[in-house]
Amino acid sequence: REIITEKLFRTLHQEIPHNLRVTVERIDNTIWGFIIFKKASHKKILLGKRGRTIALLTQLCRADIDSILKLDQVFKIHLKSDL
């Protein structure tokens, strides 16, 4: 959870939406990071142009998780609305 939050701050800089929640679940060989947002405009910020922001965030988190766990894990980030 902390890795995703840290990478959010680094990736979004000052655009980070308020009221974001991050949860992590492990299902089989996959680690799912869920970013829960409250406004539709937050989704646009998190996705970025052509999905580049969420892709970069996933790539940065995956690199940290791989170096910490030293296991071949699948890591995915999913955006969820809390509207």
Side-chain angles (χ1 to χ4, degrees):
R1 201 175 89 149
E2 289 80 18
I3 292 172
I4 297 171
T5 305
E6 175 195 346
K7 300 305 178 194
L8 271 170
F9 281 110
R10 287 187 179 190
T11 305
L12 296 176
H13 306 288
Q14 295 179 351
E15 295 179 13
I16 191 146
H18 296 282
N19 300 321
L20 287 183
R21 287 192 339 254
V22 175
T23 62
V24 176
E25 294 179 25
R26 190 175 191 161
I27 303 170
D28 297 325
N29 198 31
T30 304
I31 298 172
W32 286 90
F34 294 98
I35 301 173
I36 302 145
F37 57 92
K38 293 205 179 256
K39 293 183 179 179
S41 61
H42 292 171
K43 183 175 182 178
K44 291 179 184 179
I45 293 169
L46 293 167
L47 282 174
K49 189 174 185 178
R50 300 178 76 187
R52 290 183 182 151
T53 302
I54 195 73
L56 175 62
L57 181 65
T58 303
Q59 181 181 12
L60 293 171
C61 291
R62 184 178 295 129
D64 277 9
I65 290 170
D66 286 346
S67 68
I68 291 169
L69 295 179
K70 307 254 190 268
L71 296 171
D72 188 26
Q73 295 284 312
V74 176
F75 177 76
K76 297 182 180 185
I77 292 181
H78 183 73
L79 301 177
K80 291 173 87 172
S81 172
D82 190 24
L83 300 174

